[in-house]
Amino acid sequence: FPVTIGQAKGSRIYEVLNGNSKRIIDLKLSTKGMLEEGILLYKSKEFSKAIRIFNDILEIDPKDSAVEIYAKRAQHFEKFRDPSDWEGIEKLDLK
């Protein structure tokens, strides 16, 4: 997902599965389609629908930190911010 890390323009961040156990890789692959749908909803500013999907993923894989971040951000945007000028890019303060 595009984020800004110490620079002015967004960069893509990828999750590398190599090095994880087969169980973790299988969990992430089994929820990949759900995650993609949730991210599309998130980027379309359909935060409540995205939150439901992210929560469904977290029921399957409670330790998926990327999904947890998306869920928390979607909850924040749904509650506190009018994202009318939002482009789906987030600034991260740490790596």
Side-chain angles (χ1 to χ4, degrees):
F1 50 94
V3 295
T4 302
I5 303 175
Q7 56 189 0
K9 70 176 203 171
S11 300
R12 292 203 176 272
I13 296 178
Y14 297 91
E15 182 171 11
V16 178
L17 296 179
N18 286 352
N20 287 303
S21 70
K22 180 171 175 9
R23 183 184 73 76
I24 297 296
I25 292 170
D26 289 344
L27 270 175
K28 293 196 181 286
L29 291 176
S30 73
T31 59
K32 181 179 181 278
M34 294 168 68
L35 178 58
E36 289 169 347
E37 182 181 356
I39 291 171
L40 285 174
L41 290 166
Y42 176 84
K43 288 182 175 181
S44 298
K45 303 175 189 174
E46 295 186 51
F47 299 114
S48 60
K49 290 179 184 178
I51 290 165
R52 284 193 295 271
I53 290 174
F54 296 144
N55 286 336
D56 288 346
I57 296 170
L58 289 170
E59 284 184 30
I60 296 167
D61 185 3
K63 294 184 179 182
D64 192 322
S65 57
V67 173
E68 188 176 340
I69 289 168
Y70 269 114
K72 286 180 181 178
R73 288 182 180 163
Q75 290 166 355
H76 173 79
F77 285 131
E78 183 179 49
K79 254 185 181 174
F80 298 111
R81 188 192 263 180
D82 173 11
S84 58
D85 62 345
W86 179 72
E87 297 178 9
I89 297 174
E90 297 295 328
K91 181 178 180 190
L92 297 181
D93 295 324
L94 49 107
K95 295 182 184 180

